[in-house]
Amino acid sequence: MRTHASLLLAAGLALGGSAALAAGAPTADTVRQTARQFFQPIPAAEAVVKERNISADSIELGRWLFFEPRLSRSHIISCNTCHSIGTGGADNIQTSIGHGWQHGPRNSPTVLNALFNGAQFWDGRAADLKEQAKGPVQASVEMNNTPAQVEETLKSLPEYVALFQKAYPKDKDPVNFENMAHAIEAFESTLLTPDSKFDQFLAGADSLDEIELKGLDLFMNKGCVACHQGINVGGQGYFPFGVVKKPGADILPPDDKGRFTVTNTASDEYVFRAGPLRNIALTAPYFHSGDVWSLEQAVAIMGSSQLGQELNDGEVKAIVSFLHTLTGEQPQVVYPTLPPSTAATPRPQK
């Protein structure tokens, strides 16, 4: 993992040619040339499915499972509960509500474009979407279920048995917890948001207005790009929250030590994965604590805490305008009609 300092240095070297833009209005071609060094557009879902050889049958099964509340012990909570496709792939509350109306410890990240993150969760404890799919199902504060009960539930429903057999025809006993997670991963791999104004700009179109262009130029020149780059404009590296100045306890709760809980390494205290910024305008509140509801406030906090710069109102407005251009085409998903429970289906539990 590259350090925050090394990324800032790399960004500074690459931006040397455009640093002079701060003195005047940036030109689209110059900003685009620099932006292409750091960012890539979101591809269409069809291209990803073909490239990764994801079967249509596993995607269809995953679509059912993503909306299936019986994966939870209470039969109330589905993946879509905390990662609502209709609201930017998140639930738009401070921290998600799980089993027994418990509040989770962290804000729910968006599922949209999550395929492109270097790891999943704020602390990166899951390497990929398949591993991530297993966590909430078993977490006591979330769906509070067990692999054995999930398998019992799915095997009790003939429609699911048929879907698993179709999706995993080589497996002797295809209805299992591993295949459940694999199918959810397959479906989530299609939850992409291509063709944002920013992606159109990267492709060569004059899709950004003057203030959006200025915001992109500031985003790169101020150093935001050191942590937020790549196809997902973040979601790759881990960085201390408060490189220059730690925010208050309301934004950085002292009892949540971030990646330290995964690595048990002192240097990882209060280190978190840089949040991906695609569709960020749709996914308030912000940060792992979910304590900031204004995108303007979030940008200002990042300026002071991570970069040591007090951004003025005009700079904040311009950067926020740029961030709005990261909203892409939202996935259109038909909510499945799920099969009714049978006499053999485990009953919901409190």
Side-chain angles (χ1 to χ4, degrees):
M1 182 188 73
R2 299 175 70 184
T3 66
H4 185 80
S6 68
L7 283 168
L8 277 172
L9 177 60
L13 291 173
L15 289 167
S18 64
L21 295 175
T27 64
D29 287 341
T30 304
V31 175
R32 182 183 293 112
Q33 182 180 4
T34 304
R36 284 172 174 169
Q37 299 179 51
F38 296 106
F39 309 109
Q40 301 84 44
I42 296 287
E46 294 79 8
V48 171
V49 168
K50 182 178 180 180
E51 178 187 353
R52 297 180 180 240
N53 195 29
I54 304 172
S55 77
D57 292 327
S58 63
I59 293 171
E60 177 64 6
L61 171 59
R63 181 174 70 96
W64 285 40
L65 292 170
F66 188 86
F67 291 98
E68 178 54 80
R70 286 165 295 190
L71 294 183
S72 69
R73 184 175 294 274
S74 65
H75 290 199
I76 293 174
I77 303 166
S78 71
C79 301
N80 192 65
T81 302
C82 301
H83 302 285
S84 172
I85 296 173
T87 57
D91 55 14
N92 303 132
I93 58 177
Q94 183 179 13
T95 60
S96 297
I97 298 173
H99 187 80
W101 306 108
Q102 299 176 84
H103 283 267
R106 293 174 182 160
N107 181 256
S108 179
T110 179
V111 72
L112 303 183
N113 306 310
L115 175 69
F116 301 120
N117 292 331
Q120 307 301 324
F121 297 115
W122 283 100
D123 54 19
R125 65 185 182 273
D128 52 34
L129 288 173
K130 179 182 176 181
E131 186 177 349
Q132 187 278 331
K134 299 176 186 178
V137 175
Q138 301 176 81
S140 61
V141 74
E142 297 182 69
M143 299 168 85
N144 195 32
N145 215 342
T146 65
Q149 183 154 308
V150 167
E151 291 174 359
E152 181 182 357
T153 298
L154 295 172
K155 288 179 178 179
S156 75
L157 306 170
E159 295 90 340
Y160 271 117
V161 173
L163 282 174
F164 272 91
Q165 289 173 338
K166 191 175 182 182
Y168 304 101
K170 296 181 180 180
D171 290 7
K172 184 178 180 180
D173 184 17
V175 186
N176 59 62
F177 196 68
E178 285 291 318
N179 285 345
M180 175 217 72
H182 181 272
I184 292 174
E185 176 186 44
F187 171 68
E188 290 181 347
S189 297
T190 70
L191 300 180
L192 311 183
T193 62
D195 205 33
S196 67
K197 289 180 68 176
F198 180 55
D199 287 339
Q200 294 170 23
F201 175 78
L202 290 176
D206 291 327
S207 53
L208 303 188
D209 64 25
E210 183 178 350
I211 191 167
E212 292 164 349
L213 190 67
K214 178 183 178 183
L216 169 57
D217 186 54
L218 285 167
F219 187 87
M220 295 187 294
N221 275 296
K222 291 290 185 180
C224 309
V225 73
C227 301
H228 297 283
Q229 58 180 276
I231 191 170
N232 231 2
V233 195
Q236 299 300 317
Y238 306 101
F239 304 93
F241 196 163
V243 172
V244 179
K245 181 177 69 175
K246 287 192 180 300
D250 55 335
I251 297 171
L252 183 62
D255 57 343
D256 185 350
K257 295 189 176 182
R259 190 156 171 76
F260 173 79
T261 60
V262 178
T263 66
N264 202 33
T265 301
S267 60
D268 281 336
E269 287 190 358
Y270 305 109
V271 167
F272 296 88
R273 186 194 64 183
L277 299 184
R278 292 284 185 172
N279 305 290
I280 191 68
L282 306 179
T283 60
Y286 303 113
F287 307 135
H288 67 285
S289 59
D291 272 312
V292 174
W293 287 86
S294 163
L295 192 51
E296 287 79 4
Q297 184 184 0
V299 169
I301 289 170
M302 286 286 96
S304 59
S305 296
Q306 302 302 101
L307 304 175
Q309 300 189 45
E310 299 298 328
L311 302 173
N312 63 45
D313 289 345
E315 291 171 333
V316 169
K317 180 181 178 181
I319 292 173
V320 168
S321 294
F322 159 65
L323 294 178
H324 276 266
T325 74
L326 299 176
T327 301
E329 293 181 355
Q330 301 300 290
Q332 302 298 303
V333 178
V334 177
Y335 197 109
T337 300
L338 301 173
S341 296
T342 67
T345 304
R347 297 299 178 237
Q349 301 175 33
K350 294 182 180 179

